[in-house]
Amino acid sequence: MRVHSTGTLVGDLEALEDYQVRVRGLEEGLAWHFLIGNGQGLSLGEIFIGPRWKKQLASGSAGAAEAISICLVGDFNRTTVPRSQLEALDELLEFLRARLGVIPVDIHLEGGRRPSPGERFPAAALRAAYGTPSKGSP
């Protein structure tokens, strides 16, 4: 499983999907299997099940084609992750593990223009609870 962020403060589902289709060329829409709202477009802690999960398609996220892709709405280089959003992430991870077995959780912390999920994302705590760092991840 791989955790990402949108890198946006607002996460309106229609705008995110439009960007994924129009700019990134993803015909199936959202790149992620699951999206967790921050209260700015999707309700705080709301878990949206995307078409990639429903159709059992590969993730459209860079470097995560073989992973279950979970994205939190937010830019955690500028803001902290709301507690309700982290609780929803934990609930989703526990649900998936109960059904699929223990799958390590990789935090997408690649460099570039905008490290995702962000410097203020509690990556160390999530890794301690759910998995080990991926090769090359801080």
Side-chain angles (χ1 to χ4, degrees):
M1 288 183 262
R2 194 154 191 203
V3 178
H4 305 263
S5 72
T6 60
T8 60
L9 297 175
V10 176
D12 176 270
L13 188 58
E14 189 174 301
L16 290 170
E17 190 161 42
D18 178 63
Y19 174 82
Q20 300 283 307
V21 171
R22 190 176 41 79
V23 177
R24 296 201 52 223
L26 299 175
E27 292 179 15
E28 294 297 329
L30 294 175
W32 318 287
H33 294 102
F34 299 96
L35 186 64
I36 302 176
N38 69 348
Q40 302 295 317
L42 287 174
S43 297
L44 179 58
E46 176 184 357
I47 299 171
F48 174 78
I49 302 169
R52 289 182 186 279
W53 181 257
K54 292 175 184 176
K55 296 176 183 177
Q56 292 295 287
L57 299 174
S59 172
S61 296
E66 300 300 318
I68 297 170
S69 189
I70 303 167
C71 187
L72 282 72
V73 176
D75 181 347
F76 308 122
N77 286 308
R78 294 192 279 171
T79 63
T80 58
V81 185
R83 182 182 181 117
S84 295
Q85 212 174 12
L86 287 173
E87 289 170 353
L89 175 61
D90 186 58
E91 181 182 325
L92 178 59
L93 291 172
E94 289 297 328
F95 173 84
L96 291 170
R97 282 186 155 198
R99 275 133 189 93
L100 304 173
V102 176
I103 301 170
V105 176
D106 181 29
I107 313 299
H108 179 200
L109 284 173
E110 295 174 0
R113 180 178 126 261
R114 180 191 58 82
S116 170
E119 297 169 359
R120 295 184 182 181
F121 185 84
L126 195 67
R127 281 191 183 118
Y130 290 102
T132 57
S134 66
K135 186 176 180 181
S137 292

